[in-house]
Amino acid sequence: MKPRILQIVVISIALLGPTTARAQKTDDYLFNDSHFHLTNYIQEGISIRDFLKIMGNKAGRVALFGIPLQQQWSYRVDENRGPTYYLNSDAPLYYYSFTDAWIAMSYKSLSKDEQARFDPMITGFNPTDMYAADHIRRVLTTFPGVFTGIGEFSIHKEFVSAKIAGEVASLQDQALDRLIDFATEVGLVVLIHNDVDVPFAKPGVEPAYAAQMKALFKRHPNTTFIWAHIGVGRIIRPVKDQVAIVEEIINDPQLRNVHFDISWDEVAKYIVATPESTKNAAAIVNKYPDRFLFGTDEVAPPNQEKYLKVYNQYEPFWKLLTPEASEKVRKRNYERVFDEARRKVRSWEAANVAPRASSMAN
Ligand SMILES: [Zn+2]
């Protein structure tokens, strides 16, 4: 037992010490990005080295993931027109687990200093499958020292959920609870995409998924959640009581671990739509500055200008934030949430994953 304990201590020091120290110096950057896709719906994208150049001195740290879904190219449906986006084709999407290996290998190709700027996320699981938790465990075991969270994964997402081959996902599925329980045991951040309502909902009717989403959060009070896009979609506009839904979650002492990301140009579009909408959004963020994170939701951007689009789109909104709120939303909340997750996941790995070298020697 003794050498194993010593190994754990040595690994913990090696993994936690320098990484944490390095991870804290993001003062010179404009923002940390809590939501970024290196690859697209056909698993193509930019190299992580090119992305580092694009981040440049603008983005400090980035939560890094691919996309867990692959758009099938069905010759029967699309003949020689290979679709590159889910709206380009009637052929289905399917879960593509290899994305996790792709992200892990990209991360591992970097130097330690470069790695410190990324928080890779596991996404390649089917959230309707009771075995999804086992996939997450397998990824952590195969690539220890790499991942900080899971997601972005989607349960109800306009135009996407219905296209995925197999059973449609549900917030009330025990498979989802099982995988979140496991993520919580490990300490992984859970970045979940779920629209607050269905497309083309009847006016005046309660948003379809608000209550189910809150119930999910309640079932997992110790999980660090980030609700992507505050539940808004391309056509799922912020519902009338969106502010009330958000405030109810924020003010619930059992839901202190629920955060919201304001990523995606569609969300920015709603927030800065009018001076009044900008003012309303800034008021709620100024009131609860610890609960919102900036993210871009860019997918494999070809250059820095494209990558900074959402950040620049928010210009009128940034101007209305207090200096404290602006700093927290752009940088500090990311550091707090992801640093804590890194620490927890590394210590879970130290206790649960046999070191490679020793298993090879045995
Ligand atoms: Zn996204």
Side-chain angles (χ1 to χ4, degrees):
M1 280 307 284
K2 281 221 175 107
R4 166 100 172 113
I5 289 167
L6 189 65
Q7 260 164 345
I8 289 170
V9 172
V10 170
I11 288 171
S12 306
I13 291 166
L15 290 176
L16 299 176
T19 310
T20 314
R22 266 197 298 270
Q24 263 143 25
K25 292 167 73 186
T26 58
D27 284 6
D28 306 336
Y29 301 102
L30 292 175
F31 60 84
N32 295 317
D33 185 350
S34 66
H35 192 132
F36 178 79
H37 302 271
L38 192 64
T39 53
N40 63 12
Y41 278 88
I42 55 165
Q43 309 298 324
E44 290 178 359
I46 53 175
S47 81
I48 199 162
R49 296 211 167 271
D50 286 343
F51 181 49
L52 265 170
K53 285 183 210 142
I54 287 171
M55 287 161 66
N57 59 1
K58 309 293 185 202
R61 287 169 60 183
V62 174
L64 183 78
F65 34 96
I67 284 188
L69 295 163
Q70 161 83 29
Q71 171 64 54
Q72 182 185 342
W73 179 359
S74 164
Y75 187 82
R76 289 182 305 108
V77 177
D78 296 309
E79 298 184 300
N80 288 319
R81 302 180 302 273
T84 57
Y85 194 51
Y86 59 86
L87 294 175
N88 289 160
S89 171
D90 279 343
L93 297 158
Y94 62 94
Y95 290 105
Y96 189 82
S97 290
F98 187 71
T99 182
D100 294 332
W102 181 262
I103 292 295
M105 294 308 282
S106 299
Y107 174 85
K108 283 165 76 86
S109 73
L110 301 174
S111 72
K112 284 271 171 259
D113 282 334
E114 291 166 336
Q115 287 179 350
R117 294 179 68 182
F118 293 103
D119 288 288
M121 309 279 278
I122 298 167
T123 62
F125 52 85
N126 175 347
T128 71
D129 188 349
M130 289 291 280
Y131 281 130
D134 302 84
H135 169 79
I136 296 166
R137 181 192 294 271
R138 200 169 296 119
V139 173
L140 293 170
T141 309
T142 311
F143 299 106
V146 174
F147 290 96
T148 313
I150 64 169
E152 166 194 40
F153 68 98
S154 297
I155 303 300
H156 293 291
K157 175 171 181 174
E158 54 183 15
F159 312 121
V160 170
S161 301
K163 272 196 68 167
I164 303 171
E167 261 184 311
V168 77
S170 164
L171 291 167
Q172 310 187 90
D173 197 325
Q174 290 209 13
L176 178 60
D177 288 316
R178 187 170 187 264
L179 79 89
I180 293 175
D181 281 342
F182 179 64
T184 310
E185 179 196 323
V186 177
L188 293 154
V189 174
V190 175
L191 172 57
I192 182 169
H193 179 132
N194 192 86
D195 299 335
V196 73
D197 208 347
V198 289
F200 309 112
K202 287 202 184 89
V205 178
E206 214 181 306
Y209 303 122
Q212 285 185 26
M213 197 61 180
K214 216 180 132 193
L216 176 79
F217 292 146
K218 286 252 170 178
R219 292 199 297 278
H220 303 278
N222 300 317
T223 307
T224 303
F225 282 107
I226 300 174
W227 188 359
H229 326 304
I230 330 175
V232 170
R234 184 174 283 128
I235 63 159
I236 311 290
R237 342 178 120 259
V239 294
K240 220 178 96 235
D241 19 355
Q242 191 96 19
V243 172
I245 294 167
V246 168
E247 277 206 285
E248 205 187 308
I249 290 171
I250 289 176
N251 289 321
D252 190 324
Q254 279 181 289
L255 302 179
R256 282 210 186 93
N257 296 329
V258 179
H259 305 78
F260 305 87
D261 88 33
I262 59 164
S263 71
W264 200 7
D265 55 352
E266 297 291 332
V267 178
K269 204 173 74 189
Y270 286 124
I271 287 185
V272 302
T274 65
E276 206 200 340
S277 63
T278 317
K279 213 175 87 194
N280 292 343
I284 190 147
V285 173
N286 282 332
K287 193 166 167 193
Y288 309 104
D290 296 315
R291 308 296 284 272
F292 297 88
L293 291 92
F294 173 69
T296 62
D297 197 19
E298 276 302 323
V299 179
N303 54 48
Q304 194 179 65
E305 190 191 345
K306 180 83 204 316
Y307 179 56
L308 298 181
K309 186 187 149 198
V310 178
Y311 180 82
N312 291 330
Q313 213 176 334
Y314 270 124
E315 194 55 47
F317 169 74
W318 299 134
K319 284 192 183 134
L320 297 185
L321 294 187
T322 64
E324 183 210 1
S326 172
E327 185 76 1
K328 284 182 168 175
V329 173
R330 288 181 299 113
K331 296 180 196 173
R332 305 295 165 225
N333 293 342
Y334 180 109
E335 288 163 9
R336 176 170 50 82
V337 168
F338 285 87
D339 281 351
E340 191 196 357
R342 270 190 195 183
R343 270 193 300 276
K344 286 182 178 168
V345 180
R346 294 299 85 83
S347 79
W348 182 90
E349 287 167 349
N352 291 280
V353 182
R356 252 343 128 69
S358 91
S359 56
M360 267 153 78
N362 293 341

